Amino acid sequence: MGVVAVLMALSAGSVTACTTTTGGTASPSPAGSVSSGPSSADPEVPKVSAPLDASKYVADPCGLVPEDVLTPLRLPVPGEKRPAGNDPRTKAGPSCVWRIRGEGTGVSMTLGTSNRDRGAGGLAGLYAGYRQGTFIRFLERAPDVEGYPAIYYDLADERSMGSCGLGVGIADDLVVDVYAQGYNGEDDSCGTAARIAAAMIKTLKGA
């Protein structure tokens, strides 16, 4: 089972990881509980020196990635917008899903604003989930994305099988998670995730 790298429900010390993908459709799964919340003072957690404001896109996360980025990746325009809510698929925050129909290939992107609002967002939240070890069992620093710290993480390292979860810290308390599944190996899946993440950051920078 592939798990999209994002912590979803972080209230009352609980953590939920998102998502499994069936036929290219992202759908979250519960991920157990964390014994302690993330610590912003953890020296292992990379810090964000120039935080970005994503509030404009909470109502429209699909607007973070322009058509000229999606089209070469054969991703549909528009994507499927999912607002934040109370079910397991939406607890982390608003998301956008792009599915290549009939191929089992897709990309999801989640703004972790709900995790932030619960006090357990940012890369620190992912590191805390990894240390707890129930559902985040793989975590590795990734190359920075447009100058912003990033990590690969998942239930297991499935990059060689074409699934790549990429978490990008756009503030110390806010992560944007991009998950690509159904691709051809690590370069294809992680490369796609990185391109989506880079486009998102450029949009937030106003480039």
Side-chain angles (χ1 to χ4, degrees), residues 65-80:
V65 184
E67 182 174 352
D68 62 359
V69 174
L70 297 169
T71 299
L73 297 172
R74 300 191 302 116
L75 296 172
V77 180
E80 177 187 347

PDB file of all heavy atoms in Angstrom, residues 65-80:
ATOM      1  N   VAL A  65      -0.677  25.513  -9.311  1.00  0.00           N
ATOM      2  CA  VAL A  65       0.119  24.921 -10.392  1.00  0.00           C
ATOM      3  C   VAL A  65      -0.490  25.322 -11.732  1.00  0.00           C
ATOM      4  O   VAL A  65      -1.620  24.933 -12.053  1.00  0.00           O
ATOM      5  CB  VAL A  65       0.177  23.392 -10.276  1.00  0.00           C
ATOM      6  CG1 VAL A  65       1.092  22.808 -11.358  1.00  0.00           C
ATOM      7  CG2 VAL A  65       0.680  22.977  -8.893  1.00  0.00           C
ATOM      8  N   PRO A  66       0.229  26.100 -12.536  1.00  0.00           N
ATOM      9  CA  PRO A  66      -0.342  26.597 -13.790  1.00  0.00           C
ATOM     10  C   PRO A  66      -0.448  25.516 -14.866  1.00  0.00           C
ATOM     11  O   PRO A  66       0.225  24.484 -14.822  1.00  0.00           O
ATOM     12  CB  PRO A  66       0.636  27.692 -14.218  1.00  0.00           C
ATOM     13  CG  PRO A  66       1.924  27.342 -13.561  1.00  0.00           C
ATOM     14  CD  PRO A  66       1.561  26.672 -12.267  1.00  0.00           C
ATOM     15  N   GLU A  67      -1.297  25.790 -15.837  1.00  0.00           N
ATOM     16  CA  GLU A  67      -1.555  24.836 -16.917  1.00  0.00           C
ATOM     17  C   GLU A  67      -0.291  24.502 -17.698  1.00  0.00           C
ATOM     18  O   GLU A  67      -0.114  23.359 -18.132  1.00  0.00           O
ATOM     19  CB  GLU A  67      -2.626  25.412 -17.849  1.00  0.00           C
ATOM     20  CG  GLU A  67      -3.033  24.496 -18.985  1.00  0.00           C
ATOM     21  CD  GLU A  67      -4.182  25.048 -19.796  1.00  0.00           C
ATOM     22  OE1 GLU A  67      -4.778  26.074 -19.384  1.00  0.00           O
ATOM     23  OE2 GLU A  67      -4.481  24.458 -20.852  1.00  0.00           O
ATOM     24  N   ASP A  68       0.608  25.486 -17.876  1.00  0.00           N
ATOM     25  CA  ASP A  68       1.792  25.215 -18.692  1.00  0.00           C
ATOM     26  C   ASP A  68       2.776  24.269 -18.010  1.00  0.00           C
ATOM     27  O   ASP A  68       3.701  23.758 -18.654  1.00  0.00           O
ATOM     28  CB  ASP A  68       2.491  26.515 -19.100  1.00  0.00           C
ATOM     29  CG  ASP A  68       3.013  27.323 -17.927  1.00  0.00           C
ATOM     30  OD1 ASP A  68       2.841  26.906 -16.762  1.00  0.00           O
ATOM     31  OD2 ASP A  68       3.597  28.397 -18.166  1.00  0.00           O
ATOM     32  N   VAL A  69       2.587  24.000 -16.722  1.00  0.00           N
ATOM     33  CA  VAL A  69       3.356  22.962 -16.028  1.00  0.00           C
ATOM     34  C   VAL A  69       2.635  21.624 -16.113  1.00  0.00           C
ATOM     35  O   VAL A  69       3.252  20.577 -16.327  1.00  0.00           O
ATOM     36  CB  VAL A  69       3.592  23.355 -14.558  1.00  0.00           C
ATOM     37  CG1 VAL A  69       4.260  22.214 -13.784  1.00  0.00           C
ATOM     38  CG2 VAL A  69       4.441  24.615 -14.469  1.00  0.00           C
ATOM     39  N   LEU A  70       1.331  21.644 -15.973  1.00  0.00           N
ATOM     40  CA  LEU A  70       0.548  20.404 -15.964  1.00  0.00           C
ATOM     41  C   LEU A  70       0.500  19.723 -17.328  1.00  0.00           C
ATOM     42  O   LEU A  70       0.605  18.494 -17.419  1.00  0.00           O
ATOM     43  CB  LEU A  70      -0.882  20.707 -15.502  1.00  0.00           C
ATOM     44  CG  LEU A  70      -1.024  21.239 -14.069  1.00  0.00           C
ATOM     45  CD1 LEU A  70      -2.441  21.740 -13.844  1.00  0.00           C
ATOM     46  CD2 LEU A  70      -0.666  20.161 -13.059  1.00  0.00           C
ATOM     47  N   THR A  71       0.339  20.509 -18.394  1.00  0.00           N
ATOM     48  CA  THR A  71       0.139  19.935 -19.724  1.00  0.00           C
ATOM     49  C   THR A  71       1.305  19.061 -20.187  1.00  0.00           C
ATOM     50  O   THR A  71       1.083  17.937 -20.677  1.00  0.00           O
ATOM     51  CB  THR A  71      -0.151  21.036 -20.752  1.00  0.00           C
ATOM     52  OG1 THR A  71      -1.346  21.724 -20.365  1.00  0.00           O
ATOM     53  CG2 THR A  71      -0.335  20.460 -22.147  1.00  0.00           C
ATOM     54  N   PRO A  72       2.573  19.500 -20.046  1.00  0.00           N
ATOM     55  CA  PRO A  72       3.670  18.617 -20.455  1.00  0.00           C
ATOM     56  C   PRO A  72       3.745  17.325 -19.637  1.00  0.00           C
ATOM     57  O   PRO A  72       4.311  16.334 -20.100  1.00  0.00           O
ATOM     58  CB  PRO A  72       4.922  19.470 -20.234  1.00  0.00           C
ATOM     59  CG  PRO A  72       4.443  20.879 -20.241  1.00  0.00           C
ATOM     60  CD  PRO A  72       3.062  20.828 -19.651  1.00  0.00           C
ATOM     61  N   LEU A  73       3.175  17.342 -18.429  1.00  0.00           N
ATOM     62  CA  LEU A  73       3.149  16.147 -17.589  1.00  0.00           C
ATOM     63  C   LEU A  73       1.922  15.284 -17.860  1.00  0.00           C
ATOM     64  O   LEU A  73       1.723  14.264 -17.205  1.00  0.00           O
ATOM     65  CB  LEU A  73       3.169  16.551 -16.111  1.00  0.00           C
ATOM     66  CG  LEU A  73       4.430  17.289 -15.639  1.00  0.00           C
ATOM     67  CD1 LEU A  73       4.237  17.793 -14.212  1.00  0.00           C
ATOM     68  CD2 LEU A  73       5.655  16.383 -15.731  1.00  0.00           C
ATOM     69  N   ARG A  74       1.090  15.714 -18.837  1.00  0.00           N
ATOM     70  CA  ARG A  74      -0.139  15.023 -19.221  1.00  0.00           C
ATOM     71  C   ARG A  74      -1.152  14.981 -18.081  1.00  0.00           C
ATOM     72  O   ARG A  74      -2.031  14.109 -18.044  1.00  0.00           O
ATOM     73  CB  ARG A  74       0.148  13.599 -19.730  1.00  0.00           C
ATOM     74  CG  ARG A  74       1.052  13.543 -20.939  1.00  0.00           C
ATOM     75  CD  ARG A  74       1.104  12.164 -21.575  1.00  0.00           C
ATOM     76  NE  ARG A  74       1.554  11.152 -20.625  1.00  0.00           N
ATOM     77  CZ  ARG A  74       0.811  10.140 -20.202  1.00  0.00           C
ATOM     78  NH1 ARG A  74      -0.435   9.991 -20.647  1.00  0.00           N
ATOM     79  NH2 ARG A  74       1.288   9.263 -19.344  1.00  0.00           N
ATOM     80  N   LEU A  75      -1.062  15.914 -17.158  1.00  0.00           N
ATOM     81  CA  LEU A  75      -2.015  15.987 -16.053  1.00  0.00           C
ATOM     82  C   LEU A  75      -3.199  16.855 -16.458  1.00  0.00           C
ATOM     83  O   LEU A  75      -3.027  17.869 -17.137  1.00  0.00           O
ATOM     84  CB  LEU A  75      -1.334  16.541 -14.805  1.00  0.00           C
ATOM     85  CG  LEU A  75      -0.214  15.656 -14.245  1.00  0.00           C
ATOM     86  CD1 LEU A  75       0.523  16.371 -13.125  1.00  0.00           C
ATOM     87  CD2 LEU A  75      -0.759  14.312 -13.759  1.00  0.00           C
ATOM     88  N   PRO A  76      -4.396  16.472 -16.059  1.00  0.00           N
ATOM     89  CA  PRO A  76      -5.597  17.165 -16.531  1.00  0.00           C
ATOM     90  C   PRO A  76      -5.748  18.555 -15.931  1.00  0.00           C
ATOM     91  O   PRO A  76      -5.322  18.829 -14.807  1.00  0.00           O
ATOM     92  CB  PRO A  76      -6.734  16.250 -16.063  1.00  0.00           C
ATOM     93  CG  PRO A  76      -6.174  15.542 -14.880  1.00  0.00           C
ATOM     94  CD  PRO A  76      -4.722  15.339 -15.170  1.00  0.00           C
ATOM     95  N   VAL A  77      -6.342  19.427 -16.694  1.00  0.00           N
ATOM     96  CA  VAL A  77      -6.684  20.775 -16.254  1.00  0.00           C
ATOM     97  C   VAL A  77      -8.195  20.942 -16.401  1.00  0.00           C
ATOM     98  O   VAL A  77      -8.734  20.707 -17.483  1.00  0.00           O
ATOM     99  CB  VAL A  77      -5.947  21.835 -17.104  1.00  0.00           C
ATOM    100  CG1 VAL A  77      -6.311  23.236 -16.638  1.00  0.00           C
ATOM    101  CG2 VAL A  77      -4.432  21.616 -17.051  1.00  0.00           C
ATOM    102  N   PRO A  78      -8.920  21.318 -15.352  1.00  0.00           N
ATOM    103  CA  PRO A  78      -8.399  21.567 -14.007  1.00  0.00           C
ATOM    104  C   PRO A  78      -8.247  20.281 -13.223  1.00  0.00           C
ATOM    105  O   PRO A  78      -8.774  19.235 -13.616  1.00  0.00           O
ATOM    106  CB  PRO A  78      -9.503  22.438 -13.386  1.00  0.00           C
ATOM    107  CG  PRO A  78     -10.763  21.925 -14.030  1.00  0.00           C
ATOM    108  CD  PRO A  78     -10.368  21.569 -15.449  1.00  0.00           C
ATOM    109  N   GLY A  79      -7.552  20.372 -12.087  1.00  0.00           N
ATOM    110  CA  GLY A  79      -7.483  19.246 -11.178  1.00  0.00           C
ATOM    111  C   GLY A  79      -8.739  19.155 -10.334  1.00  0.00           C
ATOM    112  O   GLY A  79      -9.641  19.992 -10.417  1.00  0.00           O
ATOM    113  N   GLU A  80      -8.799  18.123  -9.522  1.00  0.00           N
ATOM    114  CA  GLU A  80      -9.944  17.913  -8.626  1.00  0.00           C
ATOM    115  C   GLU A  80      -9.648  18.584  -7.289  1.00  0.00           C
ATOM    116  O   GLU A  80      -8.747  18.170  -6.554  1.00  0.00           O
ATOM    117  CB  GLU A  80     -10.184  16.421  -8.424  1.00  0.00           C
ATOM    118  CG  GLU A  80     -11.318  16.106  -7.455  1.00  0.00           C
ATOM    119  CD  GLU A  80     -11.414  14.624  -7.150  1.00  0.00           C
ATOM    120  OE1 GLU A  80     -10.783  13.820  -7.866  1.00  0.00           O
ATOM    121  OE2 GLU A  80     -12.108  14.277  -6.172  1.00  0.00           O
TER     122      GLU A  80
END
